[in-house]
Amino acid sequence: MHNEGYSTVCGHAVIALMHFAVDYGLIKTPTSPETQINIHCPCGLVKNFTQYFNGKTGTVRFHSVPLFAFATDASVSVPGYWSITVDISYGGALYAFVSAKKFGLDVNKSKTRDLVDAATAVSDAFKSQVKLYHPVSEDLAFLYGTILTDGKDAFSEEPTANMCVLADVLCDRGVTARIALQYHKGLIGLNQTRSFKSGAIGSVFTGKAIEETTCGDFRAVVVEVTGHAHYSGSGGFLLR
């Protein structure tokens, strides 16, 4: 959940939840070296594999629902920037993609406030100018957010950075939709792993397209993302 409701899927939340499910005994009989846990998200079934050895959890990887590039090189008129060319990709939700350089920004070094303002301007313009649809569910036919990238879309061994801005200026990562987009453009192949760095905090997830499939009339891929989550605290609610 977030400050405007809930996500149709969130990769980092899925990874965190899988750690929690094993560590806190929701999964009664975890298996080594991995425990498979399937979770139904609003966008569909996500398969998860949590490392488990000697009573401890490790890295989590998950397999996405079918993902696809919705459109490439779409133009939107953004106030103050004239026409901006963006790509739209589905990663459990629909996102607009644009290089931060088009706004004179660096996704790794610019102020978060400036990056958020640029991404929000794209999202606002996009929602008023472009009609979206989803081939399977009308509930998913909306722009969830805008992902600013470092523009390094061609495959490299070095991490590429992005920042996803959604809801009421919430910052996230956005890996699955970007892999689907890069695969659609022929920039990565099946089982070719890329590293994706969060422009906000610098942590890294890895991802790869592992299987071709379809989603309605769209050519799609299943994406595997691997990462780790860390506990930062605990809390409780008392119902009176």
Side-chain angles (χ1 to χ4, degrees):
M1 299 182 70
H2 54 67
N3 52 11
E4 278 193 344
Y6 63 89
S7 298
T8 52
V9 69
C10 174
H12 207 162
V14 164
I15 289 171
L17 180 58
M18 295 307 99
H19 275 290
F20 176 83
V22 176
D23 290 342
Y24 281 76
L26 276 68
I27 305 302
K28 301 300 182 183
T29 55
T31 59
S32 297
E34 286 186 321
T35 297
Q36 180 175 349
I37 310 168
N38 295 337
I39 179 171
H40 280 280
C41 299
C43 69
L45 180 68
V46 177
K47 297 180 180 180
N48 306 271
F49 306 87
T50 302
Q51 283 185 346
Y52 182 76
F53 186 71
N54 284 341
K56 296 182 179 180
T57 54
T59 300
V60 178
R61 60 188 179 96
F62 68 83
H63 294 174
S64 71
V65 298
L67 312 179
F68 56 88
F70 180 87
T72 56
D73 298 327
S75 295
V76 292
S77 180
V78 180
Y81 297 97
W82 300 98
S83 181
I84 296 289
T85 300
V86 302
D87 298 323
I88 306 99
S89 186
Y90 176 74
L94 287 161
Y95 298 92
F97 281 83
V98 60
S99 171
K101 295 177 182 178
K102 292 187 178 181
F103 299 93
L105 299 172
D106 185 316
V107 75
N108 290 304
K109 299 178 181 179
S110 295
K111 293 181 179 179
T112 300
R113 180 75 262 176
D114 293 339
L115 293 165
V116 165
D117 288 346
T120 301
V122 173
S123 293
D124 290 345
F126 200 94
K127 291 174 183 178
S128 65
Q129 297 171 37
V130 180
K131 175 67 174 177
L132 296 174
Y133 71 91
H134 188 277
V136 176
S137 173
E138 282 301 311
D139 288 342
L140 300 171
F142 65 97
L143 187 74
Y144 194 63
T146 292
I147 299 177
L148 299 178
T149 77
D150 58 7
K152 298 177 181 179
D153 292 319
F155 178 77
S156 171
E157 298 290 343
E158 296 297 318
T160 178
N162 40 258
M163 176 186 288
C164 176
V165 180
L166 62 144
D168 185 14
V169 300
L170 174 68
C171 295
D172 204 343
R173 189 184 319 259
V175 172
T176 55
R178 194 170 178 205
I179 294 174
L181 182 62
Q182 291 176 346
Y183 185 80
H184 173 81
K185 290 185 171 184
L187 300 173
I188 58 173
L190 283 180
N191 295 306
Q192 192 170 27
T193 301
R194 286 210 75 181
S195 298
F196 296 86
K197 182 172 68 172
S198 167
I201 61 175
S203 61
V204 175
F205 282 179
T206 60
K208 58 185 177 181
I210 60 172
E211 177 187 346
E212 290 185 336
T213 183
T214 59
C215 186
D217 294 333
F218 288 96
R219 293 178 56 196
V221 289
V222 174
V223 168
E224 179 181 282
V225 174
T226 301
H228 205 290
H230 304 275
Y231 294 105
S232 60
S234 62
F237 293 93
L238 178 62
L239 180 62
R240 294 184 180 275

